[in-house]
Each structure stands twice: as structure tokens, then as C-alpha cells.
């Protein structure tokens, strides 16, 4: 489970014995931001304790290993220059939602993070993205938005405003399903839910997700059960190490190394868990996914 075979993208990959549905890795493009100025100097979620020691060097090592992991798996990683005074800028997922080349930027709830949004907006404009819209409502981007290939699952309750869900539907032109988060430890959707396989309308393949039930309101739990009857349900232990904050390419699933039970379950379902050490970034409430924005061009 810990030593993942290096695979090329677009390959058909070996199946778990019990799997009828082949898992297929597809090459992804990610945007990441080196944690050069990472620290925990304020607290905007229950994971952040400014009085606890934090090492920028350890965070840098773990981040470079995460980036190298993606590259070994055949993915393309773009980077944005970090800015001094923005210790959370490493969490690239919070600064944009890109689907079909359209970019919906971000608007942070916390004043400490507000300036990150414009750095990322400029990155998109300079890279030639023509459709870049900045939101009116509070919108923490892929922190609260998860694309299933069919619908955009959208979290609210702690950060992103419900108004941002409607805005995302209009700007990105995709159907949005709103979900309510109720546990402050799981303040962003991507701390409680991950997409493992995207739906593919051309082959009829259904989307598959993993999630932690108790992070959601009862109504949202019902919605998730209805839409994803075969979802992987994560345990308390998996959730508590931010194990749901993983990144899947359809076959390889990059996870925090403590998420053992989730990894075992994913293996049984035909996925290949790839474990990384992200402990230093977790001190800010982050994991692999928080560090990673997917560019769906
Ligand atoms: N310290 C950051 C915050 O609270 C962590 C963000 C993690 N990002 C994420 N996509 N969950 O805003």
C-alpha cells in the first residue's frame, strides 16, 4: 500500500480481484504553491494553534515530496510564486475552480487570506485563461467544490456562502448540488469528501466518491446516499487525520499516510493508495488536496 508502482497516465491498470469496473488513471494538471512562507500565525479553523511549533522547512520537504509524487504518477504540476505574509497561500485548492477552461476565482472569508485571491487571478490571466471571473459571494473554491464529472458538489456551513453555489452554476455552467457541513473540524468540503472516479457520460461510467458521513447535515447525508449509493464511507479515524483530503486520478489516490483504513478499503475497491506525509501542513488544517488545485482545461 505504501510503495506505489509508478504508472503512466492513460494506461489500463490492473484490477482488484473483486472489481468488475476497471479503474483508469488519467493524466491531470495541477497548480501548486510552495510553502516558502508557511507558518501558523493566526487561527481560522480548529486545527490551527499559533502557539504550537511549526517548521517551514519540514512543510517545504513534505510539499516537494507531494509534488514529486504527482510527477512520478505522470501528472503535470504548474506552480505559482508564493507571496510573503500569506502563510496559507500553499493551499492552492482554495483559490480557483477550473472546469472546461473556465475559471471561477475565490473570495476568502478570513481577512488574513483575502489577498491570495488576486495572486491566483493574475496567474490565470498571465497564463492566457480568457474566462476568469471573480466571485461576489464568499467562495473558497475547490476547498468547497468537488467536480464529479457530472455535477459540482458544493459545501457550505463554515466558509463558502450558499450564494456562491448559484454563482458557480451560472459562471461554470454546470449543475450544482449544495451540501451542508456541520462539524467545525471539517470546515471545507474537501476535508470530508473526495471524488475517486469521475463520471464519464460517453462510457456510462458512474462517479464514485468517499466521504465522512457525520461531517454533513442529515439532509445532506440523504442527498449523498441517494446520489452515490456505492460510496466509500470513511471512519472517524480516517476523517480525523484529514484522510478525506486526498487526490485521485481515477486509480492512484494520494492520501495522508495515517489514513490506513481508508487505504485498505480503496485497495479492495480496485484503487491504488499512495501515502504521503503531510503532517506539518495539517497543523494549518490542510492535506494533499488543499495543496492542489486541478486545472481542468
Ligand atoms: N489554514 C487554511 C484555512 O483555514 C487551510 C485551508 C485548507 N484548504 C482546504 N482546501 N481545505 O483556510
Amino acid at each position: 500500500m505504501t510503495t506505489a508502482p509508478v504508472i503512466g497516465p492513460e494506461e489500463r491498470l490492473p484490477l482488484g480481484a473483486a472489481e468488475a469496473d476497471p479503474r483508469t488513471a488519467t493524466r491531470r494538471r495541477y497548480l501548486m504553491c510552495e510553502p516558502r512562507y508557511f507558518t501558523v500565525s493566526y487561527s481560522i479553523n480548529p486545527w490551527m494553534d499559533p502557539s504550537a511549533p511549526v517548521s517551514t522547512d519540514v512543510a517545504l520537504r513534505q510539499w516537494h515530496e507531494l509534488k514529486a509524487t504527482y510527477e512520478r504518477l505522470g501528472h503535470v504540476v504548474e506552480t505559482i510564486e508564493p507571496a510573503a505574509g500569506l502563510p496559507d497561500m500553499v493551499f492552492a485548492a482554495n483559490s480557483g475552480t477550473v472546469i472546461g477552461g473556465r475559471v471561477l476565482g475565490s473570495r476568502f472569508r478570513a481577512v488574513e487570506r483575502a489577498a491570495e485571491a488576486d495572486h491566483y487571478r493574475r496567474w490565470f490571466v498571465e497564463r492566457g485563461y480568457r474566462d476568469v471571473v471573480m466571485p461576489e459571494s464568499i467562495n473558497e473554491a475547490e476547498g468547497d467544490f468537488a467536480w464529479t464529472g457530472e455535477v459540482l458538489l458544493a459545501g457550505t456551513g463554515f466558509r463558502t456562502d450558499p450564494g456562491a453555489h448559484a454563482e458557480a452554476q451560472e459562471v461554470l455552467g454546470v449543475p450544482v448540488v449544495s451540501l451542508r457541513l456541520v462539524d467545525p473540524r471539517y470546515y471545507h468540503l474537501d476535508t470530508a469528501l473526495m471524488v475517486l472516479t469521475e463520471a464519464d457520460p460517453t462510457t456510462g461510467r458512474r462517479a464514485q466518491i468517499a466521504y465522512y458521513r457525520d461531517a454533513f447535515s442529515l439532509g445532506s447525508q440523504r442527498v449523498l446516499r441517494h446520489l452515490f449509493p456505492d460510496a466509500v464511507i470513511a471512519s472517524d479515524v480516517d476523517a480525523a487525520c484529514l484522510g478525506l483530503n486526498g487526490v485521485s486520478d481515477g486509480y492512484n489516490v494520494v492520501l495522508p499516510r495515517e489514513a490506513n483504513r481508508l487505504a485498505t478499503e480503496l485497495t479492495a475497491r480496485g484503487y491504488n493508495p499512495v501515502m504521503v506525509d503531510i503532517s506539518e501542513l495539517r497543523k494549518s488544517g490542510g492535506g494533499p488536496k488543499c495543496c492542489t488545485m486541478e486545472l481542468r482545461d
Side-chain angles (χ1 to χ4, degrees):
M1 161 202 318
T2 40
T3 47
V6 175
I7 60 107
E10 322 282 5
E11 267 175 54
R12 278 269 142 162
L13 294 150
L15 296 183
E19 284 300 327
D21 182 19
R23 309 290 172 208
T24 308
T26 54
R27 171 178 274 141
R28 310 293 170 116
R29 275 185 79 222
Y30 297 130
L31 175 58
M32 298 180 72
C33 179
E34 189 184 61
R36 204 178 304 156
Y37 306 104
F38 176 72
T39 187
V40 177
S41 53
Y42 50 82
S43 179
I44 54 172
N45 70 53
W47 302 83
M48 300 174 83
D49 174 3
S51 69
V54 174
S55 164
T56 306
D57 285 343
V58 174
L60 278 165
R61 257 203 315 280
Q62 293 177 349
W63 181 90
H64 279 283
E65 186 50 40
L66 176 63
K67 178 171 180 282
T69 300
Y70 291 140
E71 287 165 345
R72 268 199 305 276
L73 293 172
H75 305 307
V76 176
V77 180
E78 309 278 353
T79 56
I80 178 174
E81 190 59 15
L86 294 175
D88 276 340
M89 194 171 163
V90 56
F91 300 117
N94 297 134
S95 285
T97 307
V98 186
I99 299 175
R102 289 202 175 84
V103 181
L104 179 58
S106 67
R107 182 179 292 269
F108 285 89
R109 182 163 296 280
V111 62
E112 293 91 337
R113 298 196 63 186
E116 295 176 37
D118 200 54
H119 285 283
Y120 281 87
R121 183 193 62 78
R122 285 206 309 271
W123 187 91
F124 284 112
V125 170
E126 281 161 15
R127 291 301 177 292
Y129 286 81
R130 274 167 303 156
D131 242 328
V132 182
V133 175
M134 297 307 279
E136 312 238 309
S137 299
I138 301 293
N139 176 329
E140 297 199 359
E142 284 199 325
D144 275 318
F145 289 128
W147 176 238
T148 70
E150 234 161 19
V151 297
L152 190 63
L153 301 176
T156 188
F158 297 100
R159 299 291 181 88
T160 298
D161 276 334
H165 298 181
E167 227 181 321
Q169 178 160 290
E170 285 306 311
V171 171
L172 299 170
V174 296
V176 170
V177 175
S178 287
L179 299 167
R180 180 162 295 278
L181 296 162
V182 295
D183 181 335
R185 287 176 304 164
Y186 308 115
Y187 56 95
H188 274 143
L189 183 69
D190 72 357
T191 63
L193 180 150
M194 65 185 292
V195 176
L196 297 166
T197 297
E198 283 179 18
D200 181 353
T202 59
T203 63
R205 186 183 63 206
R206 314 265 324 253
Q208 187 168 51
I209 67 167
Y211 67 100
Y212 178 56
R213 222 179 248 150
D214 289 352
F216 295 91
S217 68
L218 291 177
S220 296
Q221 290 181 27
R222 257 181 260 130
V223 170
L224 288 170
R225 235 186 341 259
H226 174 75
L227 290 177
F228 305 100
D230 73 334
V232 174
I233 304 297
S235 67
D236 296 358
V237 190
D238 291 320
C241 65
L242 290 180
L244 273 315
N245 198 253
V247 177
S248 175
D249 63 17
Y251 172 63
N252 303 287
V253 186
V254 178
L255 292 178
R257 68 171 181 196
E258 296 84 356
N260 295 314
R261 286 173 66 166
L262 184 57
T264 304
E265 175 68 20
L266 293 181
T267 304
R269 305 263 195 140
Y271 295 97
N272 181 42
V274 180
M275 311 309 265
V276 293
D277 184 2
I278 206 78
S279 51
E280 212 58 21
L281 292 151
R282 190 161 45 227
K283 294 178 179 171
S284 192
K289 171 60 205 172
C290 299
C291 297
T292 313
M293 182 199 299
E294 186 162 348
L295 302 169
R296 302 177 192 84
D297 295 330

